[in-house]
Amino acid sequence: MIISKKKSHEDLMENFKKYDSFYLIGCSECASLCGTGDEAAMKTLKEELEKEGKTVTGMIVPKTGCQTLGTKIELKKDKDACAAADAIVVMSCGAGTQSGVEIFPDKPVYPSNDTMFLGNMTRFQVFDERCSLCGDCIIDKTGGICPITNCPKGLLNGPCGGMKDGNCEVSSEIKCAWVRIYERQKKVNELDKMNDILPPKDWSKKQNPHAMARPDKDKKEKKA
Ligand code: SF4
Ligand code: SF4
């Protein structure tokens, strides 16, 4: 999931100072799990705006904020409230905000959140970064643990000289990623993989912007 956190009140109000009325768009997926785009978060932002003398013309928590077409359809029922707002505030990740920009080409659209990373929720609203979206996954060779993301140096072939008592030299709070990989490989009887040397990453596969269609999608649609 995409992890987001709310911008500070000061930053939000600085962005909003030119406008008097707002329509709020949340997201029922990642941003809801993060507590940054659910109904409670929207109610809190509405109260903050009203305290500053501003108006909220309406709000919606669409199914998936970054699904541009679906969100556009859901917004149809609220078109008057959207039209009445000076600006749109999107309470999701940066991708959801950019759906808002596409849906409202003639209106200012602002994010209420900072988009942090792709991660896992390990306990309620506790998040760990697990994948850096490198475009060339190698965790089939590293016991399912990503050294690019979990090792602050992104080392591909075993620990650096700074590892101490199994912990990372960059932060003693975290276990060395390569100790985790070793322990995992040992547990699943695949320690032999530790002998394989991983080649340097091909970072061209991470080059932005990416665009992708599901390769089998067109074929299936044509057959139907
Ligand atoms: S190797 Fe790349 S795609 Fe795989 S988990 Fe790590 S960053 Fe993500
Ligand atoms: S101690 Fe381990 S996790 Fe930390 S930087 Fe070195 S190899 Fe990476």
Side-chain angles (χ1 to χ4, degrees), residues 179-190:
V179 170
R180 288 177 56 208
I181 291 168
Y182 174 84
E183 288 174 351
R184 168 80 185 159
Q185 299 290 45
K186 193 171 174 192
K187 214 171 218 169
V188 297
N189 213 16
E190 290 200 341

Side-chain angles (χ1 to χ4, degrees), residues 7 12 16 22-27 31 36-37 42 45 60 62 65-66 71 75 87-104 108-115:
K7 285 180 178 290
L12 288 174
F16 300 161
F22 300 86
Y23 184 88
L24 312 183
I25 302 175
C27 172
T36 55
M42 298 181 101
L45 184 59
I60 189 173
C66 58
T71 302
L75 279 165
I88 307 293
V89 180
V90 183
M91 303 176 67
S92 65
C93 65
T97 305
Q98 291 177 70
S99 282
V101 170
E102 267 180 79
I103 296 167
F104 298 99
V109 176
Y110 282 92
S112 67
N113 298 326
D114 291 323
T115 304

Side-chain angles (χ1 to χ4, degrees), residues 118 130-139 146-149 201:
L118 176 63
R130 296 282 170 89
C131 172
S132 308
L133 307 168
C134 76
D136 181 20
C137 196
I138 55 156
I139 64 173
C146 175
I148 294 158
T149 311
K201 289 280 296 170

Side-chain angles (χ1 to χ4, degrees), residues 31-79:
S32 274
L33 285 170
C34 292
T36 55
D38 56 347
E39 275 179 20
M42 298 181 101
K43 194 168 161 262
T44 303
L45 184 59
K46 181 174 185 279
E47 284 166 7
E48 282 177 62
L49 287 164
E50 286 171 350
K51 264 192 203 151
E52 301 287 330
K54 301 186 187 289
T55 308
V56 172
T57 62
M59 56 172 87
I60 189 173
V61 183
K63 195 168 174 302
T64 312
C66 58
Q67 216 262 61
T68 308
L69 188 58
T71 302
K72 192 174 181 176
I73 292 167
E74 285 185 69
L75 279 165
K76 274 188 182 157
K77 67 175 168 47
D78 249 2
K79 69 176 189 325

Side-chain angles (χ1 to χ4, degrees), residues 1 27-38 121 124-125 127:
M1 60 185 282
C27 172
S28 71
E29 304 260 7
C30 310
S32 274
L33 285 170
C34 292
T36 55
D38 56 347
M121 184 155 76
F124 182 63
Q125 292 186 354
F127 307 103

